[in-house]
Amino acid sequence: GKLIAIGGYRRIQLVDAKTGFIERDLETPAGNVTSLGFSKDSTKLLSAGGEPGSSGEAILWNLASGAPLVRFVGHADSLY
């Protein structure tokens, strides 16, 4: 079914849009998740976030496995 991505502090919840059931929890190492976006085919999710004034990163996730495909790290501030 369709998923809704909800970002929080060091985590992303993937929720079934119809039932409200949490399908998967993704743990992120860097602070608050500030931005989320699905790929057109809904197989991947890009998250961005971090700790303001300290660090930031973006992660491209494989939604089928819940594993990160690519991590973009080394930023000196949170990403939005």
Side-chain angles (χ1 to χ4, degrees):
K2 302 269 184 189
L3 294 175
I4 298 170
I6 301 169
Y9 185 74
R10 294 189 182 218
R11 79 188 243 186
I12 300 164
Q13 291 182 319
L14 298 175
V15 178
D16 184 294
K18 193 172 196 173
T19 66
F21 180 75
I22 298 171
E23 297 286 333
R24 188 181 297 272
D25 265 319
L26 305 174
E27 292 186 25
T28 65
N32 288 316
V33 176
T34 56
S35 295
L36 296 164
F38 287 99
S39 62
K40 281 190 174 190
D41 63 2
S42 298
T43 62
K44 297 174 191 73
L45 178 73
L46 183 66
S47 65
E51 296 286 348
S54 176
S55 65
E57 74 175 359
I59 303 172
L60 183 62
W61 300 89
N62 176 321
L63 292 180
S65 68
L69 295 170
V70 181
R71 290 181 186 268
F72 304 93
V73 297
H75 302 278
D77 200 358
S78 185
L79 301 179
Y80 295 91

